[in-house]
Amino acid sequence: PAADVDVSGTSNEDLAAAVDAQPSRKTSSSGGRRRRTPSVKTEESMDSLTAAMDIDNPPAASAEAKEWEGEEVLFLKEVAKDVTSFAWNPTRQSIALGSSSGRCQLFARDSVASGGFSRLRDLPDSTGDASDVSVVTWNPRGDRLAAGTLGGSVKLWAGELWGSGGGSAEMNLDGREAEEEEEEGAIAVDHPTTPNSGPILKSINAFTGPVIAAKWSPSGACLALGGVDGTVLIWEGAGDSGTDTHDGTRRTFRHHSGPVLDVDWRTDDSFASCSVDSTIAVYGNWRERDDPQQVFRGHTDEVNSITWDPSRTVLASCSDDCTARLWRTSQASPVHVLADHRMDVYTVRWS
């Protein structure tokens, strides 16, 4: 990584990069875990990191690790075996879980007073794809849920997940409104579905391998998907109502030579993708052009995660090369390299 980097104009947003301290999830062609040579922290590398920050507003010192126990820990009951993915709803007190059986479950807040969560429903699925759910994601409004699977299918629940009523109602675990208050199996939820309604399932099979990444556009009009087959699929109209399993417009992009590990939207007209091939592709005006507007090269190993900062001007990435990097579309090289991790960096997020 470059030691002398021009960081003038770098966003003052503090970057939070999380590294998984467990053994690497990536394996070599021989099946053994790849070994990394730990990087050594130097005074120069720390000075370079400090230069990228706002020295007038330094970040707060890291808090000590806390072990959560007793009443501080909430366990979800009736969870499907082997939870493989999850996503908090952005607008409601609820969570979606994906499992190794191909099932997706919704859990909702019991009541404000109790603070507990109970299973609201198992989402219906008639696709026949029982492979592991690899990723789940809510649209910005929190009323559409998409799930990708290791079997290559994409499932979308786009109907009355919650209903329009407010307050709390007694519901059965399958989503039906309870006829009697004492009916066995009834739970109280803050966002009930309307009687006799259910989520509408849409599905597509556009990948030849597992679906690894899924993100909704800022408006929720488009869904970006990345697969092990190296393709990025944009499904426009995925959030529209209707029962047609093939509605909307889909476009496929095949720039990457290896599996696509993450995607992120800059605007509804621009998105980025990263891959095992160590590159990051930025697409602009994607409805009109098939090739990337720009390709960032600099990582020396698989790029695991990417995310645009809140101003949508700086892209952060992290990689198996033990670094996180900041990029601007105005230049080909990174504006800064965070090079002090000693193992693969799997996730990067902005504060």
Side-chain angles (χ1 to χ4, degrees), residues 229-268:
D229 60 7
T231 62
V232 175
L233 175 73
I234 303 298
W235 187 1
E236 187 171 19
D240 295 343
S241 61
T243 58
D244 185 359
T245 59
H246 297 288
D247 64 341
T249 302
R250 300 191 296 274
R251 293 202 64 189
T252 301
F253 302 87
R254 306 182 185 278
H255 160 75
H256 293 293
S257 60
V260 176
L261 299 182
D262 200 9
V263 292
D264 196 34
W265 291 90
R266 187 180 188 184
T267 67
D268 272 26

Side-chain angles (χ1 to χ4, degrees), residues 115-173:
F117 281 74
S118 295
R119 180 165 65 94
L120 174 61
R121 66 167 57 185
D122 289 3
L123 293 175
D125 185 355
S126 58
T127 64
D129 182 2
S131 61
D132 294 10
V133 176
S134 51
V135 60
V136 291
T137 180
W138 293 97
N139 71 339
R141 295 190 307 273
D143 59 1
R144 303 288 185 267
L145 180 70
T149 73
L150 295 186
S153 68
V154 180
K155 307 172 185 180
L156 177 67
W157 289 274
E160 293 292 338
L161 290 176
W162 311 103
S164 57
S168 180
E170 290 294 314
M171 302 285 295
N172 285 322
L173 295 181

